[in-house]
Coordinates of all heavy atoms in Angstrom, one line a residue:
Chain A
T5 N 78.6 82.2 165.1 CA 77.4 82.3 165.9 C 76.3 81.4 165.3 O 75.2 81.2 165.8 CB 76.8 83.7 166.0 OG1 76.8 84.2 164.6 CG2 77.8 84.6 166.8
W11 N 74.5 68.2 158.4 CA 74.3 67.7 157.0 C 74.6 68.8 156.0 O 74.7 68.6 154.8 CB 72.8 67.4 156.8 CG 72.4 66.3 157.7 CD1 71.6 66.3 158.8 CD2 72.9 64.9 157.7 NE1 71.5 65.1 159.4 CE2 72.3 64.2 158.8 CE3 73.7 64.2 156.8 CZ2 72.5 62.9 159.0 CZ3 74.0 62.9 157.1 CH2 73.4 62.2 158.2
Y12 N 74.8 70.0 156.5 CA 75.1 71.1 155.6 C 76.1 72.0 156.3 O 75.8 72.9 157.1 CB 73.8 71.9 155.4 CG 74.0 73.0 154.4 CD1 74.3 72.8 153.0 CD2 73.9 74.4 154.8 CE1 74.5 73.8 152.1 CE2 74.1 75.4 153.9 CZ 74.4 75.1 152.6 OH 74.6 76.1 151.7
D18 N 88.5 81.6 156.8 CA 89.7 81.3 157.7 C 89.9 79.9 158.0 O 91.0 79.4 158.1 CB 89.6 82.1 159.1 CG 88.4 83.0 159.2 OD1 87.5 83.1 158.3 OD2 88.3 83.7 160.2
R27 N 96.5 74.0 152.4 CA 97.8 74.7 152.4 C 98.9 74.0 151.5 O 100.0 74.6 151.4 CB 98.3 74.7 153.9 CG 97.6 75.8 154.6 CD 98.0 75.8 156.1 NE 97.6 77.1 156.6 CZ 98.4 78.2 156.6 NH1 99.7 78.0 156.3 NH2 98.0 79.4 157.0
Y30 N 100.2 76.2 148.5 CA 99.4 77.4 148.6 C 100.3 78.6 148.8 O 101.2 78.6 149.7 CB 98.4 77.4 149.7 CG 97.7 78.7 149.9 CD1 96.8 79.3 148.9 CD2 97.9 79.4 151.1 CE1 96.2 80.5 149.2 CE2 97.2 80.6 151.3 CZ 96.4 81.1 150.4 OH 95.8 82.3 150.6
T37 N 100.5 96.9 144.3 CA 100.4 98.3 144.7 C 101.0 99.2 143.7 O 102.0 98.8 143.1 CB 101.1 98.5 146.1 OG1 102.4 98.0 145.9 CG2 100.4 97.8 147.2
E39 N 102.9 102.2 143.4 CA 103.5 103.2 144.3 C 103.5 104.6 143.7 O 103.6 105.5 144.5 CB 105.0 102.8 144.4 CG 105.2 101.6 145.4 CD 106.3 100.7 145.0 OE1 107.3 101.2 144.3 OE2 106.4 99.5 145.4
K40 N 103.2 104.7 142.4 CA 103.3 106.0 141.9 C 102.0 106.8 142.1 O 102.0 108.0 142.1 CB 103.5 105.9 140.4 CG 104.9 105.4 140.1 CD 105.2 105.4 138.6 CE 106.6 104.7 138.4 NZ 106.7 104.1 137.1
L43 N 97.0 110.1 146.4 CA 95.7 110.7 146.5 C 95.7 112.1 145.8 O 94.7 112.5 145.3 CB 95.4 110.8 148.0 CG 93.9 110.9 148.3 CD1 93.1 109.7 147.6 CD2 93.7 110.8 149.8
E44 N 96.9 112.7 145.9 CA 97.0 114.0 145.4 C 96.8 114.0 143.8 O 96.1 114.9 143.3 CB 98.4 114.6 145.7 CG 98.8 115.9 145.1 CD 97.9 117.0 145.6 OE1 97.2 116.9 146.6 OE2 97.8 118.1 144.9
Q59 N 98.2 117.7 132.8 CA 98.4 116.3 133.1 C 97.1 115.5 133.3 O 97.1 114.3 133.6 CB 99.2 116.2 134.4 CG 100.7 116.2 134.2 CD 101.4 117.1 135.1 OE1 101.0 117.2 136.3 NE2 102.4 117.8 134.7
L69 N 92.8 111.3 117.7 CA 91.5 111.8 117.2 C 91.6 111.9 115.6 O 90.7 111.4 114.9 CB 91.2 113.2 117.7 CG 90.3 113.3 118.9 CD1 90.0 114.8 119.2 CD2 88.9 112.6 118.6
L76 N 91.0 109.1 106.2 CA 92.3 108.5 106.2 C 92.2 107.0 106.1 O 93.2 106.3 106.2 CB 93.0 108.9 107.5 CG 93.5 110.3 107.6 CD1 94.1 110.6 108.9 CD2 94.6 110.6 106.5
R92 N 58.2 100.2 93.1 CA 56.8 100.0 93.4 C 56.1 99.1 92.4 O 55.0 99.4 91.8 CB 56.1 101.4 93.4 CG 56.2 102.0 94.8 CD 55.7 103.5 94.8 NE 56.7 104.3 94.1 CZ 56.4 105.6 93.8 NH1 55.3 106.1 94.1 NH2 57.4 106.4 93.3
T96 N 58.5 90.4 88.9 CA 58.7 90.2 87.5 C 59.0 91.5 86.7 O 59.9 91.6 85.9 CB 57.6 89.5 86.8 OG1 56.7 89.0 87.8 CG2 58.1 88.3 86.0
E97 N 58.1 92.5 87.0 CA 58.3 93.8 86.3 C 59.5 94.5 86.7 O 60.2 95.1 85.9 CB 57.1 94.7 86.6 CG 55.9 94.4 85.7 CD 54.6 95.1 86.2 OE1 54.8 96.3 86.6 OE2 53.6 94.5 86.3
L123 N 75.2 91.3 85.9 CA 75.4 92.1 84.7 C 76.9 92.2 84.3 O 77.7 92.3 85.2 CB 74.9 93.6 85.0 CG 73.5 93.6 85.5 CD1 73.1 95.0 86.1 CD2 72.5 93.2 84.5
Q127 N 82.8 92.8 76.5 CA 84.1 92.2 76.4 C 85.1 93.2 75.7 O 84.8 93.7 74.6 CB 84.1 90.9 75.6 CG 83.6 89.8 76.4 CD 84.6 89.1 77.2 OE1 85.4 89.8 77.9 NE2 84.7 87.8 77.2
H149 N 55.6 95.6 95.9 CA 56.8 96.4 96.2 C 58.0 95.5 96.4 O 58.0 94.5 97.0 CB 56.6 97.2 97.5 CG 55.7 98.4 97.4 ND1 54.4 98.2 97.2 CD2 56.0 99.7 97.4 CE1 53.9 99.5 97.1 NE2 54.8 100.3 97.2
S155 N 75.0 95.7 93.8 CA 76.3 95.7 94.4 C 77.4 95.5 93.4 O 77.2 94.9 92.3 CB 76.4 94.7 95.5 OG 76.2 93.4 95.0
S157 N 81.5 94.7 93.4 CA 82.7 94.4 94.1 C 83.9 95.2 93.5 O 84.0 95.2 92.3 CB 83.0 92.9 94.1 OG 84.3 92.7 94.4
S165 N 80.3 101.8 84.9 CA 79.2 101.0 84.5 C 78.2 101.0 85.7 O 77.0 101.1 85.5 CB 79.5 99.6 84.1 OG 80.6 99.6 83.2
Y166 N 78.7 100.8 86.8 CA 77.9 100.7 88.0 C 77.1 102.0 88.2 O 75.9 101.9 88.4 CB 78.8 100.5 89.3 CG 78.1 100.5 90.6 CD1 77.5 99.4 91.1 CD2 78.1 101.7 91.4 CE1 76.8 99.4 92.4 CE2 77.5 101.7 92.6 CZ 76.9 100.6 93.1 OH 76.3 100.6 94.3
R171 N 71.9 104.9 87.9 CA 71.2 106.2 87.5 C 70.1 105.8 86.6 O 68.9 106.3 86.7 CB 72.2 107.1 86.7 CG 72.1 108.5 87.1 CD 73.2 109.4 86.5 NE 74.5 108.9 86.8 CZ 75.5 109.0 85.9 NH1 75.4 109.6 84.8 NH2 76.7 108.6 86.3

Side-chain angles (χ1 to χ4, degrees):
Chain A
T5 52
W11 300 111
Y12 184 68
D18 353 7
R27 285 177 160 266
Y30 171 67
T37 53
E39 284 149 22
K40 292 182 189 156
L43 205 50
E44 178 60 17
Q59 273 133 35
L69 263 182
L76 286 175
R92 273 172 286 170
T96 351
E97 277 169 44
L123 307 169
Q127 285 275 45
H149 283 69
S155 60
S157 161
S165 309
Y166 173 84
R171 225 174 301 149

